[in-house]
């Protein structure tokens, strides 16, 4: 049923409520490789490489970093996390940071790890974050929560 309310000259505007959509993050993602349809680490890495070739201006504007979002290892055969070596074959000299679908983790290559080397603890984890490590204690390329910022802060 329609109802009229006299607002006595006041203005009413619709409310814009973020129902956990993270509007600014969504806008920023428009400048990154969309990896949500990738069904393997190899497919995600190749999709990032295609994006970088098709959008060199976006890579240039981000200081030479290739960025992407949306990979989800739970949708891949075996469900294992990818490693830096999965990216290194396609990106040996270019830093790469790919955000996981949840937004709480990222996957980086060796070049990105070397740029952020001084910021990543040699062992253990930063407060509020986690650095995935191999059997020898070296970062695998998976960083979560506060650890993501240790690398991301190097992207201009």
């Amino acid at each position: 049923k329609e109802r009229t309310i006299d607002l006595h000259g006041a203005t009413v505007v619709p409310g814009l409520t973020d129902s956990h959509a993270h509007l600014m993050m969504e806008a920023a993602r428009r400048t990154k490789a969309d990896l949500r349809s990738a069904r393997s680490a190899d497919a995600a890495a190749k999709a990032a490489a295609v994006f970088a070739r098709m959008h060199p201006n976006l890579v240039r504007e981000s200081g030479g970093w290739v960025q992407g979002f949306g990979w989800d290892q739970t949708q891949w055969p075996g469900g294992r996390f990818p490693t830096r070596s999965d990216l290194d074959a396609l990106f040996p000299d270019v830093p790469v940071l790919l955000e996981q679908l949840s937004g709480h983790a990222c996957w980086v290559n060796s070049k990105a790890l070397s740029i952020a080397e001084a910021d990543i603890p040699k062992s253990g984890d930063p407060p509020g974050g986690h650095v995935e490590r191999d059997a020898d204690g070296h970062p695998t390329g998976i960083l979560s929560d506060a650890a993501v910022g240790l690398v991301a802060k190097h992207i201009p």
Side-chain angles (χ1 to χ4, degrees):
K1 178 179 176 182
E2 188 174 311
R3 186 170 91 164
T4 302
I5 301 172
D6 183 356
L7 299 174
H8 307 287
T11 302
V12 174
V13 294
L16 298 175
T17 304
D18 181 355
S19 63
H20 206 83
H22 300 292
L23 295 175
M24 293 303 290
M25 235 167 41
E26 284 301 317
R29 285 180 175 167
R30 304 283 182 204
T31 64
K32 300 174 183 179
D34 185 345
L35 309 174
R36 290 176 292 185
S37 64
R39 294 296 172 243
S40 68
D42 184 58
K46 286 179 180 172
V50 167
F51 179 87
R53 279 194 304 275
M54 292 181 70
H55 303 284
N57 58 322
L58 293 175
V59 174
R60 192 171 40 258
E61 289 169 8
S62 66
W65 286 73
V66 174
Q67 298 179 75
F69 77 95
W71 58 272
D72 183 1
Q73 81 287 351
T74 68
Q75 301 300 309
W76 300 348
R80 75 164 181 85
F81 275 108
T83 67
R84 59 189 159 90
S85 62
D86 294 317
L87 291 172
D88 290 347
L90 292 173
F91 302 100
D93 302 312
V94 176
V96 178
L97 186 146
L98 307 176
E99 300 165 35
Q100 204 260 357
L101 182 64
S102 70
H104 291 275
C106 74
W107 169 27
V108 299
N109 67 344
S110 293
K111 180 68 174 180
L113 288 170
S114 70
I115 290 169
E117 184 176 12
D119 299 303
I120 299 172
K122 299 293 181 221
S123 63
D125 293 322
H130 177 67
V131 177
E132 190 74 25
R133 297 178 187 278
D134 63 20
D136 296 323
H138 300 109
T140 64
I142 297 296
L143 308 162
S144 61
D145 295 316
V148 172
L150 301 176
V151 175
K153 72 180 186 179
H154 293 278
I155 301 173

